[in-house]
């Protein structure tokens, strides 16, 4: 195995991954009123994680982020379906929502809606599916070269 000098990649990855994570959080919270939400937020988070895998290697990132992404998929689906079914408890139609305004430390006055819980389920499901697919392909590729 040839070890290349990837100092520039690792240095820029730290900054770019931080920016991607921050933007994904913004997209996640803005999603029920503006373009964004759980789907695109999940894709942005997955992109940041994949960039870290490319720069630092699978073993290093697995130590930092010890998550089995296959477990994240059913958790996200359970949250998304639970928010839809939860409206039945209060006698409202499926996937009904309500909202209120809260003062959050970094984001300021922010509207939080029950749709945010649905977006959280979508966010987790997208991260789980995307990372499972990418890591499975990477593992298959690694097995072919070994």
């Amino acid at each position: 195995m040839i070890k290349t000098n990837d100092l520039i990649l690792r240095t820029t990855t730290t900054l770019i991954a931080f920016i991607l994570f921050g933007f994904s959080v913004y997209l996640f919270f803005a999603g029920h009123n503006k373009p964004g939400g759980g789907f695109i937020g999940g894709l942005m988070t997955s992109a940041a994680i994949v960039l870290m895998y490319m720069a630092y290697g699978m073993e290093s990132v697995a130590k930092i982020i010890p998550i089995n992404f296959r477990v994240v998929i059913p958790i996200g689906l359970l949250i998304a379906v639970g928010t839809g079914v939860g409206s039945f408890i209060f006698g409202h139609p499926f996937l009904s929502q309500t909202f209120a305004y809260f003062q959050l430390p970094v984001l300021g006055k922010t509207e939080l809606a029950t749709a945010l819980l649905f977006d959280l389920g979508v966010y987790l499901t997208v991260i789980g599916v995307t990372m499972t697919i990418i890591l499975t392909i990477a593992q298959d590729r690694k097995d072919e070269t070994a």
Side-chain angles (χ1 to χ4, degrees):
M1 175 190 268
I2 300 172
K3 186 71 174 171
T4 60
N5 186 359
D6 52 359
L7 179 64
I8 295 173
L9 176 64
R10 288 184 181 197
T11 303
T12 57
T13 293
T14 304
L15 176 65
I16 293 170
F18 180 76
I19 292 169
L20 285 174
F21 279 129
F23 191 57
S24 72
V25 169
Y26 167 76
L27 287 173
F28 174 74
F29 280 111
H32 57 281
N33 286 334
K34 301 173 192 164
F39 184 79
I40 192 66
L43 287 177
M44 293 290 290
T45 301
S46 297
I49 295 171
V50 167
L51 183 61
M52 290 183 351
Y53 272 111
M54 289 176 15
Y56 295 105
M58 295 187 75
E59 294 80 20
S60 299
V61 177
K63 290 178 186 175
I64 297 168
I65 307 173
I67 297 173
N68 182 355
F69 292 104
R70 292 181 185 196
V71 176
V72 175
I73 299 169
I75 292 171
L77 288 173
L78 187 65
I79 292 171
V81 171
T83 58
V85 174
S87 58
F88 290 142
I89 295 172
F90 298 104
H92 294 285
F94 184 69
L95 280 177
S96 295
Q97 73 158 345
T98 186
F99 66 92
Y101 290 93
F102 297 93
Q103 187 70 28
L104 299 177
V106 175
L107 300 173
K109 186 175 182 182
T110 305
E111 175 190 6
L112 294 180
T114 53
L116 189 68
L117 294 174
F118 178 76
D119 277 344
L120 177 64
V122 172
Y123 178 82
L124 292 175
T125 303
V126 168
I127 291 173
V129 168
T130 305
M131 293 308 301
T132 299
I133 291 170
I134 290 172
L135 293 177
T136 301
I137 291 170
Q139 187 63 39
D140 287 347
R141 180 108 169 122
K142 185 178 174 183
D143 291 343
E144 284 179 8
T145 60

